[in-house]
Amino acid sequence: MSETLKASGGKTEGVDYTDRLQRLSGAGWKRALNVQAPYRWNIRRLDLGFTLDVGCGIGRNLAHLDGNGVGVDHNPTSISACRAAGLTAFTIEDFFKSEYATPGRFDAILGAHLIEHVEEDTAKEIISSYLPFLRSGGRAVFITPQERGYASDATHVRFSGFDEVGKICTDLGLTLDRQYSFPFPRPTGKVFTYNEFVTVARKP
């Protein structure tokens, strides 16, 4: 299983990709304007509880959760960056060997900027492999870029809007709770790189 997942996203598993994430997140103008504030607020208002952040990258959303969660990513350099920041994160192989890989351990699963990096079948394979660790009634939250954001990253392989992500959820037996555009209304996504689709589903 883990080899399949690693093979699905080779473009995002190297040092160069981690460096890119760190460079983008560390841009001086972004720090000065505190551009992460609305996205941090959006994650926190969902009140997810103990969260498994799948495809956690360098740990931006784990930090937004104040560390109330565990990250997993196929990029070992990104996991090292998470741990250097004091966050709990594992490579795929290490997560499945960890004490956290137990049924119903998590209140929520978060997949932020994950689904658009793989084809539909691979996305379902990845998500389904972690669903046993989500408690009954727990939520699964998926965040994907809109048009301008999708076009901004060469590692994106499949545009994943409300319909596409909603289908993945229902195919996996999850119940859709709501979908919304953030931080601005849906049309903004055609010109604003950081407008996002947010899908909230629930495990029966």
Side-chain angles (χ1 to χ4, degrees), residues 61-203:
N61 285 311
L62 284 176
H64 292 348
L65 292 164
D66 289 328
N68 188 27
V70 172
V72 59
D73 200 283
H74 68 166
N75 187 320
T77 311
S78 294
I79 293 303
S80 295
C82 289
R83 292 177 175 174
L87 302 168
T88 302
F90 299 91
T91 60
I92 295 168
E93 293 84 354
D94 287 345
F95 173 79
F96 281 96
K97 297 174 186 175
S98 76
E99 68 271 26
Y100 297 102
T102 57
R105 180 71 175 82
F106 294 91
D107 299 308
I109 287 177
L110 174 64
H113 295 275
L114 165 71
I115 290 175
E116 70 272 14
H117 286 279
V118 293
E119 297 293 349
E120 179 182 359
D121 286 346
T122 303
K124 288 193 284 190
E125 179 186 353
I126 293 170
I127 296 163
S128 66
S129 70
Y130 295 102
L131 285 179
F133 311 123
L134 177 64
R135 66 171 176 82
S136 178
R139 283 173 293 168
V141 177
F142 303 106
I143 300 172
T144 55
Q146 296 181 5
E147 287 86 354
R148 184 67 187 87
Y150 179 81
S152 72
D153 189 336
T155 67
H156 294 162
V157 302
R158 182 174 184 262
F159 184 77
S160 301
F162 290 138
D163 291 343
E164 292 81 2
V165 179
K167 180 179 183 299
I168 287 172
C169 290
T170 55
D171 284 353
L172 292 176
L174 300 171
T175 301
L176 283 176
D177 275 358
R178 60 177 175 140
Q179 296 181 300
Y180 61 95
S181 178
F182 186 85
F184 300 114
R186 173 70 184 90
T188 312
K190 296 181 179 180
V191 294
F192 179 55
T193 301
Y194 304 107
N195 226 45
E196 299 174 330
F197 299 107
V198 181
T199 295
V200 182
R202 192 174 298 273
K203 182 178 179 179

